[in-house]
Structure formats: structure tokens, C-alpha cells
Amino acid sequence: MTLNEAETQQLRLEARYGTASDFSPPFWNSTIDSLLNHRSIRSYLPKPLPQGTLELLVAAAQSAPTSSGLQAWSVVAVQDPQRKARLASYTGGNAHILAAPLFLVWLIDLTRLRAVARQHGNEGEGLDYLESFLIGTIDAALAAQNAVAAIDSLGLGSCYIGGIRNQPQNVARELQLPPETVAVFGLTVGYPDPNVITDVKPRLPQSSVLFHETFSGSAAEDLSAYDDIMKAFQTKQSLPKVGWTSSVAKRVENADALSGRAQLSGILREFGFPLK
């Protein structure tokens, strides 16, 4: 290994945690490098994706693990500008949905499994339980993250849109979703605008998330130091300097902080999910 390679690895780790790394990686390759260099992209060039890109990303998504092989997810690819605009309005007005040439809406999809069960002579009662809903959620997230890894490897950019859950009824009508399907998040995809610099956002220190043998919790000093790291990042990105703990406390303060999503359990039942 050359010194340049070692320096590159440490720079990647330092960017990811906002501080010098306290370990030396025993392995490194282009996949690890791409994963550690990930950042959300919200500014895109007005440039269409090459033909076949969508299908390649879906193939990558379908290569993710899936619980019991159920594949309890689907995805709707939206490219029509008017439909993207309507969906953006349902999410709180995320402008990058309009700018990106492709908007992927990831679904929990139990309707396909229900149909398969009925074809085999049963009603698929197991789909009525929270476990099946969780399987769909996890499957969709794993598939989408595989797609994001592929997107990064191709030099493209993406950004998850949790706001797709703000107005689920409107989203369902727009996408003509059948019962027992629901949009869990969106994903913008496109060529990053090189004139808009987006840095890697630091994550919590490993001491806050990695425990050995038994859970021991996060140390207060870890979170205090992380607040300082995030304030430095926010300053660099010309964002309000509020740190991490303050933004988290505000985000979970009450039902109003959930941007309309506090009603999701009732809406999901309207969509045909019993959630026993």
C-alpha cells in the first residue's frame, strides 16, 4: 500500500466521522470507498439518464436480500414533470424532485403476496399481521439502499424523500395504488450539479452505536462532541448551526413535528393493512 492510498482511506474515515479515525482499516476497495463517500444530492443537472439506467438500478435493487424470498416491495418510476410536481407538493415542496430526471417511489407491496396465496387456496392470513408489514418495510429499504449504492458507483446522485409519507392518500391516488400497498419513501436520481458542493455529513461516533456482547448506551460526552462536529459541518454548508441533539429533540417533540405522519396507523388500516 502506498502512502497516498493510506491517506485517502483516513480522509474518507475522517470525513465520515468529522474527526480523525482511531482505527486503520485492514481492507479497502472501490465498494468501501464509494460507501464511505456517500452524500445526499439535492441539486441536479438538466440531463436525462441513459436508456437502461432505470432497469439497471432495479436489477441492483432486486439483488438485495429479501425475507423468506417474499420480495414484498415494488417501485414506481416517475419521470413525467407534472406528476413529479404534484408529488413534490405532497412532500412539502422538495424542489429536487422537480430537478431530478427520475423519481423512484418505493412501496410496501403485500397485494401481490395476497394474490399468490389466493391462487393456492388460502387467504394469506399471515399478511394481516404487523410482522408482514415490517417485512415489506425492511425489504423496500434494503432494495432501495442497494440501488443507492449502485447510483453512487455510477457517479450519479440521489436523495431519500421521507416526505412521501406526509400525504399518503394523495400519493396513493396519484400513483393509483391498490389496497395493501403504500409508499414508504421516495428517491431522487440524477447527475449531481458540480457547481453545488455537498460534503459528506458526519455520523455519530462508533462508540455511540457499536456495543460488544451487550448494549451499554451512548456516553453523554460522545453526543456533546458530535454536536460540535455537526455545528462545524452546518457552518461549512451554510446551514443553521444547531448541532444534532437540538435538531433531534425538535424532530421528535410532539405529533405536530411528524409533518402529518402521526395519523399513519389509521391511514394504513384504510389502505387495507389490518396490522394485527
Side-chain angles (χ1 to χ4, degrees), residues 183-206:
V184 282
F185 46 78
L187 186 73
T188 56
V189 184
Y191 288 96
D193 185 343
N195 295 315
V196 179
I197 304 301
T198 302
D199 290 324
V200 170
K201 182 183 288 188
R203 296 297 195 237
L204 285 164
Q206 289 196 8

Side-chain angles (χ1 to χ4, degrees), residues 2-237:
T2 67
L3 180 61
N4 185 54
E5 289 173 337
E7 288 177 338
T8 298
Q9 294 174 12
Q10 289 304 316
L11 286 174
R12 286 282 189 257
L13 290 167
E14 183 174 345
R16 180 48 67 202
Y17 293 109
T19 187
S21 173
D22 59 359
F23 75 97
S24 297
F27 308 105
W28 201 268
N29 55 38
S30 59
T31 299
I32 297 293
D33 191 79
S34 179
L35 289 172
L36 266 66
N37 198 39
H38 172 77
R39 74 281 310 276
S40 293
I41 300 297
R42 294 178 176 84
S43 299
Y44 300 95
L45 296 175
K47 179 180 177 182
L49 299 173
Q51 186 173 1
T53 302
L54 169 61
E55 292 78 9
L56 180 61
L57 296 180
V58 172
Q62 289 187 284
S63 300
T66 168
S67 181
S68 300
L70 294 177
Q71 303 174 72
W73 64 274
S74 292
V75 62
V76 179
V78 180
Q79 296 173 292
D80 177 74
Q82 285 72 38
R83 178 163 286 115
K84 285 194 296 175
R86 290 191 293 271
L87 290 171
S89 72
Y90 302 148
T91 70
N94 288 282
H96 39 300
I97 296 176
L98 305 179
L102 175 63
F103 185 50
L104 299 175
V105 183
W106 300 85
L107 314 174
I108 297 170
D109 185 356
L110 303 187
T111 190
R112 178 170 55 240
L113 302 179
R114 184 79 70 182
V116 169
R118 287 171 175 163
Q119 288 171 3
H120 286 260
N122 72 75
E123 287 299 310
E125 183 184 353
L127 297 172
D128 296 346
Y129 290 85
L130 179 61
E131 164 66 5
S132 294
F133 186 85
L134 287 176
I135 285 173
T137 305
I138 295 166
D139 273 11
L142 292 174
Q145 189 56 32
N146 248 36
V148 167
I151 288 165
D152 288 348
S153 76
L154 296 171
L156 300 173
S158 65
C159 183
Y160 280 107
I161 308 292
I164 205 73
R165 300 188 300 278
N166 289 5
Q167 299 182 40
Q169 297 102 323
N170 286 333
V171 171
R173 281 192 290 269
E174 181 65 45
L175 301 181
Q176 301 179 22
L177 302 183
E180 295 189 287
T181 61
V182 65
V184 282
F185 46 78
L187 186 73
T188 56
V189 184
Y191 288 96
D193 185 343
N195 295 315
V196 179
I197 304 301
T198 302
D199 290 324
V200 170
K201 182 183 288 188
R203 296 297 195 237
L204 285 164
Q206 289 196 8
S207 56
S208 290
V209 302
L210 171 62
F211 311 108
H212 297 275
E213 309 303 338
T214 59
F215 182 84
S216 56
S218 300
E221 57 267 26
D222 287 345
L223 298 184
S224 177
Y226 183 56
D227 263 341
D228 292 339
I229 288 170
M230 283 302 298
K231 287 177 182 177
F233 170 81
Q234 290 159 347
T235 298
K236 189 176 181 181
Q237 292 289 297

